[in-house]
mmCIF file with all atom_site columns, all heavy atoms in Angstrom:
data_model
loop_
_atom_site.group_PDB
_atom_site.id
_atom_site.type_symbol
_atom_site.label_atom_id
_atom_site.label_alt_id
_atom_site.label_comp_id
_atom_site.label_asym_id
_atom_site.label_entity_id
_atom_site.label_seq_id
_atom_site.pdbx_PDB_ins_code
_atom_site.Cartn_x
_atom_site.Cartn_y
_atom_site.Cartn_z
_atom_site.occupancy
_atom_site.B_iso_or_equiv
_atom_site.pdbx_formal_charge
_atom_site.auth_seq_id
_atom_site.auth_comp_id
_atom_site.auth_asym_id
_atom_site.auth_atom_id
_atom_site.pdbx_PDB_model_num
ATOM 1   N N   . VAL A 1 307 ? 90.525 119.092 91.643 1.00 0.00 ? 561 VAL A N   1
ATOM 2   C CA  . VAL A 1 307 ? 89.810 120.298 92.079 1.00 0.00 ? 561 VAL A CA  1
ATOM 3   C C   . VAL A 1 307 ? 90.122 121.437 91.124 1.00 0.00 ? 561 VAL A C   1
ATOM 4   O O   . VAL A 1 307 ? 89.230 122.119 90.614 1.00 0.00 ? 561 VAL A O   1
ATOM 5   C CB  . VAL A 1 307 ? 90.212 120.671 93.520 1.00 0.00 ? 561 VAL A CB  1
ATOM 6   C CG1 . VAL A 1 307 ? 89.637 122.018 93.897 1.00 0.00 ? 561 VAL A CG1 1
ATOM 7   C CG2 . VAL A 1 307 ? 89.756 119.603 94.485 1.00 0.00 ? 561 VAL A CG2 1
ATOM 8   N N   . LEU A 1 308 ? 91.412 121.584 90.822 1.00 0.00 ? 562 LEU A N   1
ATOM 9   C CA  . LEU A 1 308 ? 91.805 122.676 89.921 1.00 0.00 ? 562 LEU A CA  1
ATOM 10  C C   . LEU A 1 308 ? 91.107 122.517 88.576 1.00 0.00 ? 562 LEU A C   1
ATOM 11  O O   . LEU A 1 308 ? 90.580 123.478 88.006 1.00 0.00 ? 562 LEU A O   1
ATOM 12  C CB  . LEU A 1 308 ? 93.322 122.668 89.735 1.00 0.00 ? 562 LEU A CB  1
ATOM 13  C CG  . LEU A 1 308 ? 93.868 123.777 88.831 1.00 0.00 ? 562 LEU A CG  1
ATOM 14  C CD1 . LEU A 1 308 ? 93.463 125.138 89.372 1.00 0.00 ? 562 LEU A CD1 1
ATOM 15  C CD2 . LEU A 1 308 ? 95.375 123.686 88.718 1.00 0.00 ? 562 LEU A CD2 1
ATOM 16  N N   . ARG A 1 309 ? 91.061 121.285 88.088 1.00 0.00 ? 563 ARG A N   1
ATOM 17  C CA  . ARG A 1 309 ? 90.469 121.109 86.765 1.00 0.00 ? 563 ARG A CA  1
ATOM 18  C C   . ARG A 1 309 ? 88.972 121.386 86.800 1.00 0.00 ? 563 ARG A C   1
ATOM 19  O O   . ARG A 1 309 ? 88.415 121.929 85.851 1.00 0.00 ? 563 ARG A O   1
ATOM 20  C CB  . ARG A 1 309 ? 90.708 119.702 86.229 1.00 0.00 ? 563 ARG A CB  1
ATOM 21  C CG  . ARG A 1 309 ? 90.488 119.668 84.732 1.00 0.00 ? 563 ARG A CG  1
ATOM 22  C CD  . ARG A 1 309 ? 90.780 118.333 84.148 1.00 0.00 ? 563 ARG A CD  1
ATOM 23  N NE  . ARG A 1 309 ? 89.850 117.334 84.662 1.00 0.00 ? 563 ARG A NE  1
ATOM 24  C CZ  . ARG A 1 309 ? 89.700 116.141 84.093 1.00 0.00 ? 563 ARG A CZ  1
ATOM 25  N NH1 . ARG A 1 309 ? 90.431 115.827 83.039 1.00 0.00 ? 563 ARG A NH1 1
ATOM 26  N NH2 . ARG A 1 309 ? 88.866 115.266 84.588 1.00 0.00 ? 563 ARG A NH2 1
ATOM 27  N N   . SER A 1 310 ? 88.323 121.040 87.906 1.00 0.00 ? 564 SER A N   1
ATOM 28  C CA  . SER A 1 310 ? 86.875 121.295 87.936 1.00 0.00 ? 564 SER A CA  1
ATOM 29  C C   . SER A 1 310 ? 86.613 122.785 88.102 1.00 0.00 ? 564 SER A C   1
ATOM 30  O O   . SER A 1 310 ? 85.576 123.276 87.666 1.00 0.00 ? 564 SER A O   1
ATOM 31  C CB  . SER A 1 310 ? 86.226 120.493 89.056 1.00 0.00 ? 564 SER A CB  1
ATOM 32  O OG  . SER A 1 310 ? 87.017 120.579 90.211 1.00 0.00 ? 564 SER A OG  1
ATOM 33  N N   . ILE A 1 311 ? 87.537 123.509 88.720 1.00 0.00 ? 565 ILE A N   1
ATOM 34  C CA  . ILE A 1 311 ? 87.417 124.969 88.723 1.00 0.00 ? 565 ILE A CA  1
ATOM 35  C C   . ILE A 1 311 ? 87.691 125.498 87.319 1.00 0.00 ? 565 ILE A C   1
ATOM 36  O O   . ILE A 1 311 ? 87.086 126.462 86.867 1.00 0.00 ? 565 ILE A O   1
ATOM 37  C CB  . ILE A 1 311 ? 88.401 125.590 89.738 1.00 0.00 ? 565 ILE A CB  1
ATOM 38  C CG1 . ILE A 1 311 ? 88.023 125.195 91.159 1.00 0.00 ? 565 ILE A CG1 1
ATOM 39  C CG2 . ILE A 1 311 ? 88.431 127.103 89.599 1.00 0.00 ? 565 ILE A CG2 1
ATOM 40  C CD1 . ILE A 1 311 ? 88.963 125.708 92.202 1.00 0.00 ? 565 ILE A CD1 1
ATOM 41  N N   . ASN A 1 312 ? 88.607 124.849 86.622 1.00 0.00 ? 566 ASN A N   1
ATOM 42  C CA  . ASN A 1 312 ? 88.872 125.131 85.216 1.00 0.00 ? 566 ASN A CA  1
ATOM 43  C C   . ASN A 1 312 ? 89.179 126.603 84.965 1.00 0.00 ? 566 ASN A C   1
ATOM 44  O O   . ASN A 1 312 ? 88.467 127.274 84.224 1.00 0.00 ? 566 ASN A O   1
ATOM 45  C CB  . ASN A 1 312 ? 87.649 124.709 84.386 1.00 0.00 ? 566 ASN A CB  1
ATOM 46  C CG  . ASN A 1 312 ? 87.975 124.722 82.916 1.00 0.00 ? 566 ASN A CG  1
ATOM 47  O OD1 . ASN A 1 312 ? 89.127 124.926 82.533 1.00 0.00 ? 566 ASN A OD1 1
ATOM 48  N ND2 . ASN A 1 312 ? 86.957 124.524 82.106 1.00 0.00 ? 566 ASN A ND2 1
ATOM 49  N N   . PRO A 1 313 ? 90.241 127.125 85.581 1.00 0.00 ? 567 PRO A N   1
ATOM 50  C CA  . PRO A 1 313 ? 90.532 128.557 85.448 1.00 0.00 ? 567 PRO A CA  1
ATOM 51  C C   . PRO A 1 313 ? 90.976 128.953 84.050 1.00 0.00 ? 567 PRO A C   1
ATOM 52  O O   . PRO A 1 313 ? 90.802 130.102 83.653 1.00 0.00 ? 567 PRO A O   1
ATOM 53  C CB  . PRO A 1 313 ? 91.654 128.776 86.460 1.00 0.00 ? 567 PRO A CB  1
ATOM 54  C CG  . PRO A 1 313 ? 92.310 127.450 86.574 1.00 0.00 ? 567 PRO A CG  1
ATOM 55  C CD  . PRO A 1 313 ? 91.236 126.430 86.388 1.00 0.00 ? 567 PRO A CD  1
ATOM 56  N N   . PHE A 1 314 ? 91.509 128.008 83.279 1.00 0.00 ? 568 PHE A N   1
ATOM 57  C CA  . PHE A 1 314 ? 92.068 128.392 81.978 1.00 0.00 ? 568 PHE A CA  1
ATOM 58  C C   . PHE A 1 314 ? 91.029 128.301 80.873 1.00 0.00 ? 568 PHE A C   1
ATOM 59  O O   . PHE A 1 314 ? 91.348 128.528 79.708 1.00 0.00 ? 568 PHE A O   1
ATOM 60  C CB  . PHE A 1 314 ? 93.263 127.501 81.623 1.00 0.00 ? 568 PHE A CB  1
ATOM 61  C CG  . PHE A 1 314 ? 94.265 127.396 82.729 1.00 0.00 ? 568 PHE A CG  1
ATOM 62  C CD1 . PHE A 1 314 ? 94.726 126.177 83.149 1.00 0.00 ? 568 PHE A CD1 1
ATOM 63  C CD2 . PHE A 1 314 ? 94.717 128.542 83.367 1.00 0.00 ? 568 PHE A CD2 1
ATOM 64  C CE1 . PHE A 1 314 ? 95.637 126.092 84.171 1.00 0.00 ? 568 PHE A CE1 1
ATOM 65  C CE2 . PHE A 1 314 ? 95.628 128.459 84.395 1.00 0.00 ? 568 PHE A CE2 1
ATOM 66  C CZ  . PHE A 1 314 ? 96.096 127.225 84.805 1.00 0.00 ? 568 PHE A CZ  1
ATOM 67  N N   . GLY A 1 315 ? 89.816 127.901 81.205 1.00 0.00 ? 569 GLY A N   1
ATOM 68  C CA  . GLY A 1 315 ? 88.782 127.843 80.173 1.00 0.00 ? 569 GLY A CA  1
ATOM 69  C C   . GLY A 1 315 ? 88.922 126.627 79.282 1.00 0.00 ? 569 GLY A C   1
ATOM 70  O O   . GLY A 1 315 ? 87.943 126.144 78.759 1.00 0.00 ? 569 GLY A O   1
ATOM 71  N N   . ASN A 1 316 ? 90.149 126.113 79.093 1.00 0.00 ? 570 ASN A N   1
ATOM 72  C CA  . ASN A 1 316 ? 90.297 124.838 78.371 1.00 0.00 ? 570 ASN A CA  1
ATOM 73  C C   . ASN A 1 316 ? 90.233 123.759 79.427 1.00 0.00 ? 570 ASN A C   1
ATOM 74  O O   . ASN A 1 316 ? 90.946 123.812 80.417 1.00 0.00 ? 570 ASN A O   1
ATOM 75  C CB  . ASN A 1 316 ? 91.648 124.785 77.637 1.00 0.00 ? 570 ASN A CB  1
ATOM 76  C CG  . ASN A 1 316 ? 92.803 124.878 78.598 1.00 0.00 ? 570 ASN A CG  1
ATOM 77  O OD1 . ASN A 1 316 ? 92.606 125.134 79.791 1.00 0.00 ? 570 ASN A OD1 1
ATOM 78  N ND2 . ASN A 1 316 ? 93.992 124.685 78.119 1.00 0.00 ? 570 ASN A ND2 1
ATOM 79  N N   . SER A 1 317 ? 89.373 122.788 79.251 1.00 0.00 ? 571 SER A N   1
ATOM 80  C CA  . SER A 1 317 ? 89.147 121.834 80.350 1.00 0.00 ? 571 SER A CA  1
ATOM 81  C C   . SER A 1 317 ? 90.383 120.961 80.525 1.00 0.00 ? 571 SER A C   1
ATOM 82  O O   . SER A 1 317 ? 90.310 119.736 80.598 1.00 0.00 ? 571 SER A O   1
ATOM 83  C CB  . SER A 1 317 ? 87.946 120.960 80.036 1.00 0.00 ? 571 SER A CB  1
ATOM 84  O OG  . SER A 1 317 ? 88.295 120.097 78.967 1.00 0.00 ? 571 SER A OG  1
ATOM 85  N N   . ARG A 1 318 ? 91.564 121.592 80.550 1.00 0.00 ? 572 ARG A N   1
ATOM 86  C CA  . ARG A 1 318 ? 92.808 120.844 80.738 1.00 0.00 ? 572 ARG A CA  1
ATOM 87  C C   . ARG A 1 318 ? 93.346 121.124 82.126 1.00 0.00 ? 572 ARG A C   1
ATOM 88  O O   . ARG A 1 318 ? 93.032 122.136 82.739 1.00 0.00 ? 572 ARG A O   1
ATOM 89  C CB  . ARG A 1 318 ? 93.848 121.275 79.699 1.00 0.00 ? 572 ARG A CB  1
ATOM 90  C CG  . ARG A 1 318 ? 93.440 120.937 78.304 1.00 0.00 ? 572 ARG A CG  1
ATOM 91  C CD  . ARG A 1 318 ? 94.552 120.154 77.625 1.00 0.00 ? 572 ARG A CD  1
ATOM 92  N NE  . ARG A 1 318 ? 94.097 119.727 76.316 1.00 0.00 ? 572 ARG A NE  1
ATOM 93  C CZ  . ARG A 1 318 ? 93.610 118.515 76.085 1.00 0.00 ? 572 ARG A CZ  1
ATOM 94  N NH1 . ARG A 1 318 ? 93.489 117.639 77.065 1.00 0.00 ? 572 ARG A NH1 1
ATOM 95  N NH2 . ARG A 1 318 ? 93.231 118.181 74.873 1.00 0.00 ? 572 ARG A NH2 1
ATOM 96  N N   . LEU A 1 319 ? 94.193 120.210 82.576 1.00 0.00 ? 573 LEU A N   1
ATOM 97  C CA  . LEU A 1 319 ? 94.847 120.447 83.852 1.00 0.00 ? 573 LEU A CA  1
ATOM 98  C C   . LEU A 1 319 ? 95.899 121.531 83.703 1.00 0.00 ? 573 LEU A C   1
ATOM 99  O O   . LEU A 1 319 ? 96.184 122.280 84.621 1.00 0.00 ? 573 LEU A O   1
ATOM 100 C CB  . LEU A 1 319 ? 95.522 119.163 84.336 1.00 0.00 ? 573 LEU A CB  1
ATOM 101 C CG  . LEU A 1 319 ? 94.652 118.224 85.155 1.00 0.00 ? 573 LEU A CG  1
ATOM 102 C CD1 . LEU A 1 319 ? 95.390 116.935 85.386 1.00 0.00 ? 573 LEU A CD1 1
ATOM 103 C CD2 . LEU A 1 319 ? 94.299 118.867 86.461 1.00 0.00 ? 573 LEU A CD2 1
ATOM 104 N N   . VAL A 1 320 ? 96.496 121.591 82.520 1.00 0.00 ? 574 VAL A N   1
ATOM 105 C CA  . VAL A 1 320 ? 97.708 122.379 82.389 1.00 0.00 ? 574 VAL A CA  1
ATOM 106 C C   . VAL A 1 320 ? 97.480 123.586 81.497 1.00 0.00 ? 574 VAL A C   1
ATOM 107 O O   . VAL A 1 320 ? 96.683 123.546 80.568 1.00 0.00 ? 574 VAL A O   1
ATOM 108 C CB  . VAL A 1 320 ? 98.836 121.520 81.783 1.00 0.00 ? 574 VAL A CB  1
ATOM 109 C CG1 . VAL A 1 320 ? 99.273 120.489 82.778 1.00 0.00 ? 574 VAL A CG1 1
ATOM 110 C CG2 . VAL A 1 320 ? 98.402 120.884 80.500 1.00 0.00 ? 574 VAL A CG2 1
#
Side-chain angles (χ1 to χ4, degrees):
Chain A
V561 172
L562 181 57
R563 198 177 64 165
S564 44
I565 294 177
N566 191 6
F568 310 130
N570 61 352
S571 70
R572 295 233 175 263
L573 272 172
V574 290

